[in-house]
């Protein structure tokens, strides 16, 4: 049997105070405990229960404004379309829509959510490698701003559906530039072996084909090279450089190119790692695409929503194992799957002032699901935590609730929006009855 991995000293991780110092939406009040904006998280837990997702409306607005300002300062005039896949909650979408963001959607459900949140169809882009005929019909019926086509086969589908409906689809061609974004293998999307987009060398012929098809108005090109990109912006510069060359080549053939969709993927620091600022992304766009006279758009998701959310959880018990201490929470991998799926690191901060300043010792933080993979952190420095103690997972506003499931027949957690000194439940906790709703026993069991 292999020797157990040595316990890491908790000082190797940022302290609780260091984590909060980088997240202005959170602060530790000496009496009320951990606050999001002006609301104690303990008050939300008492009113709503745990596990619960909590989102900061002002953080959503602030980060959107920071990104838009960086683009404006570079004189790009770029539109921001929030990637709905990161967080499709209607209150989150409404907050961002009212602040000026459009939506990038990848399914019928996301399109309907964006429209229900009040985002106009004229500010919605439909991306994704596998749009169904029904989804294409809905996009055309809603008259959305743009469909990003990802294959020759999809171009033909869009043409057929649009012609049958008597519509003209505004279509951008998503290209695959074969650029390595140096991110996790499961979320890289711009390499040649990935399923996304058209090989950039094949794009001119297909774009010319689009211009001859009925029901299609080719309006530009699109690219997206991955998610959680933190290794600088060199990959963006390379991809956008290839895109600029493509635009020039298409125009040399007499083909119209009005718009370039630059995608998203800008990463955030979950721990204390460096991450590029929106100004660096804007600089990469300006240097490569800024002189082409095209409309520009970006599709951020995580960068806007990630730091705006926490997952609030309660301690069920502490268990002293043969080799390590386990802190067992009422949240599980069905709620926050990123650690199990991507080996992702999330800050875990105690909510009460006493726990925040207590001495820490290594512990494994786990959930109650019947899998060893239901582990949020190993050897994490935490104080002794009594049953009922509250902790908050940081930077959980993107790909948190959106990726949750009902594995082990666990209900989906509630979602709450905080805005200043007020909060509201924006998605009710799923009930046990709702878990069984829609299931039916065959008639023969009755016999």
């Amino acid at each position: 049997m292999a020797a157990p991995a040595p316990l890491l000293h908790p000082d190797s991780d940022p302290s609780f105070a260091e984590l909060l110092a980088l997240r202005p939406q959170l602060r530790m009040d000496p009496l009320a405990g951990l606050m999001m904006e002006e609301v104690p998280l303990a008050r939300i837990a008492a009113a709503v229960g745990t596990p619960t997702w909590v989102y900061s409306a002002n953080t959503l607005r602030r980060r959107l404004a920071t990104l838009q300002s960086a683009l404006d300062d570079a004189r790009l005039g770029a539109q921001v379309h929030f990637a709905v896949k990161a967080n499709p909650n209607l209150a989150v979408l409404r907050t961002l829509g009212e602040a000026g963001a459009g939506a990038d959607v990848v399914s019928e459900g996301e399109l309907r959510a964006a429209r229900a949140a009040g985002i106009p169809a004229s500010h919605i882009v439909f991306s994704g490698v596998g749009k169904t005929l029904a989804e294409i019909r809905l996009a055309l019926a809603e008259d959305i701003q743009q469909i990003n086509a990802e294959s020759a086969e999809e171009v033909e589908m869009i043409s057929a559906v649009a012609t049958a409906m008597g519509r003209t689809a505004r279509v951008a061609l998503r290209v695959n530039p074969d650029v390595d974004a140096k991110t996790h293998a499961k979320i890289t999307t711009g390499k040649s072996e990935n399923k996304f987009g058209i090989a950039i060398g094949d794009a001119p012929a297909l774009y010319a084909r689009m211009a001859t098809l009925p029901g299609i108005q080719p309006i530009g090109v699109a690219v997206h090279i991955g998610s959680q990109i933190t290794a600088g912006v060199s990959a963006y510069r390379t991809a956008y450089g290839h895109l600029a060359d493509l635009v020039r080549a298409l125009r040399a053939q007499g083909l119209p190119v009005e718009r370039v969709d630059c995608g998203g993927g800008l990463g955030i620091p979950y721990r204390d790692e460096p991450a590029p600022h929106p100004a660096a992304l804007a600089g990469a766009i300006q240097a490569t695409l800024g002189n082409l006279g095209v409309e520009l758009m970006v599709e951020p998701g995580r960068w806007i929503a990630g730091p705006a959310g926490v997952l609030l959880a309660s301690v069920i018990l502490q268990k002293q194992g043969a080799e390590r201490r386990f802190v067992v929470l009422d949240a599980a991998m069905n709620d926050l799957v990123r650690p199990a799926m991507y080996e992702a690191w999330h800050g875990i901060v105690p909510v009460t002032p006493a726990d925040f300043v207590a001495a820490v010792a290594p512990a494994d933080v786990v959930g109650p699901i019947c899998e060893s993979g239901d582990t949020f952190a190993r050897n994490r420095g935490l104080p002794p935590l009594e049953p009922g103690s509250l902790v908050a997972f940081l930077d959980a506003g993107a790909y948190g609730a959106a990726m949750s499931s009902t594995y082990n027949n666990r209900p989906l957690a509630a979602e709450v929006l905080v805005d200043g000194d007020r909060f509201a439940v924006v998605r009710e906790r799923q009930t046990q009855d709702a878990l069984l709703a829609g299931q039916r026993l065959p008639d023969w069991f009755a016999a």
Side-chain angles (χ1 to χ4, degrees):
M1 179 181 294
L7 294 180
L8 299 178
H9 194 281
D11 289 344
S12 63
D13 287 328
S15 69
F16 302 143
E18 288 169 335
L19 288 170
L20 296 192
L22 298 175
R23 293 157 177 85
Q25 69 277 16
L26 296 168
R27 63 183 176 87
M28 177 56 68
D29 183 277
L31 296 178
L34 190 59
M35 309 276 290
M36 175 174 279
E37 299 191 25
E38 299 306 314
V39 177
L41 290 176
R43 183 191 304 168
I44 294 175
V48 182
T50 58
T52 292
W53 306 94
V54 187
Y55 310 123
S56 162
N58 281 318
T59 303
L60 294 167
R61 298 184 188 109
R62 174 174 53 82
R63 293 184 71 83
L64 173 61
T66 298
L67 175 59
Q68 189 67 66
S69 293
L71 297 169
D72 293 344
D73 289 347
R75 296 184 294 278
L76 295 172
Q79 302 174 9
V80 176
H81 292 73
F82 176 68
V84 175
K85 60 181 172 287
N87 191 321
N89 183 277
L90 293 185
V92 169
L93 299 181
R94 182 63 170 264
T95 300
L96 293 172
E98 288 185 345
D104 169 65
V105 305
V106 296
S107 71
E108 176 180 346
E110 289 187 359
L111 174 53
R112 292 188 182 278
R115 296 293 289 122
I119 296 176
S122 60
H123 211 179
I124 295 177
V125 174
F126 202 137
S127 303
V129 71
K131 306 174 195 71
T132 66
L133 292 174
E135 288 173 329
I136 295 170
R137 291 189 193 99
L138 177 63
L140 293 173
E142 290 284 331
D143 194 24
I144 67 169
Q145 182 179 11
Q146 173 178 312
I147 299 175
N148 288 348
E150 302 216 15
S151 65
E153 294 81 359
E154 185 180 52
V155 167
E156 300 289 341
M157 289 170 60
I158 295 170
S159 173
V161 172
T163 301
M165 294 177 64
R167 299 285 185 118
T168 298
R170 292 176 289 273
V171 180
L173 187 62
R174 177 174 175 178
V175 301
N176 187 319
D178 193 20
V179 170
D180 186 356
K182 305 297 182 184
T183 187
H184 195 286
K186 292 181 181 178
I187 51 177
T188 187
T189 60
K191 297 171 67 176
S192 60
E193 67 260 31
N194 299 141
K195 67 180 179 179
F196 300 96
I198 303 293
I200 198 163
D202 298 335
L206 181 53
Y207 199 88
R209 167 70 175 159
M210 286 167 55
T212 69
L213 287 173
I216 285 188
Q217 177 190 353
I219 58 167
V221 292
V223 71
H224 184 83
I225 59 173
S227 184
Q228 184 54 12
I229 297 170
T230 57
V233 295
S234 60
Y236 285 118
R237 280 181 172 267
T238 301
Y240 297 157
H242 293 333
L243 215 57
D245 291 341
L246 175 61
V247 170
R248 296 186 187 98
L250 294 175
R251 285 176 169 172
Q253 296 179 43
L255 297 168
V257 183
E258 305 170 14
R259 196 175 295 159
V260 173
D261 185 342
C262 298
L266 197 63
I268 62 172
Y270 283 95
R271 192 175 181 272
D272 54 1
E273 67 274 23
H277 189 272
L281 175 64
I285 297 173
Q286 175 61 44
T288 51
L289 301 166
N291 63 351
L292 293 179
V294 292
E295 297 177 29
L296 294 164
M297 58 178 67
V298 295
E299 301 168 359
R302 184 194 315 267
W303 196 89
I304 290 176
V310 302
L311 174 60
L312 194 56
S314 297
V315 174
I316 296 175
L317 55 86
Q318 283 196 128
K319 172 183 174 180
Q320 184 58 55
E323 298 174 349
R324 59 188 67 223
R325 172 173 65 120
F326 295 93
V327 176
V328 184
L329 304 179
D330 62 355
M333 63 184 287
N334 74 293
D335 301 302
L336 181 61
V337 73
R338 294 191 69 256
M341 188 170 183
Y342 302 122
E343 303 83 39
W345 195 98
H346 283 266
I348 305 172
V349 176
V351 169
T352 65
D355 290 338
F356 188 82
V357 300
V360 301
D364 286 8
V365 184
V366 301
I369 277 180
C370 195
E371 286 201 23
S372 295
D374 185 23
T375 299
F376 295 115
R378 296 189 186 278
N379 304 332
R380 188 68 62 88
L382 287 172
L385 293 169
E386 297 298 321
S389 299
L390 297 172
V391 297
F393 288 84
L394 306 184
D395 305 310
Y399 305 104
M403 297 180 74
S404 59
S405 73
T406 59
Y407 185 45
N408 276 197
N409 251 32
R410 291 171 48 84
L412 296 174
E415 297 177 63
V416 167
L417 184 71
V418 171
D419 196 349
D421 61 358
R422 58 188 176 177
F423 73 90
V425 175
V426 293
R427 181 171 180 171
E428 297 286 347
R429 186 178 310 281
Q430 190 177 30
T431 66
Q432 292 288 344
D433 287 343
L435 276 173
L436 301 179
Q439 297 190 50
R440 299 289 184 271
L441 292 172
D443 293 341
W444 60 76
F445 283 115

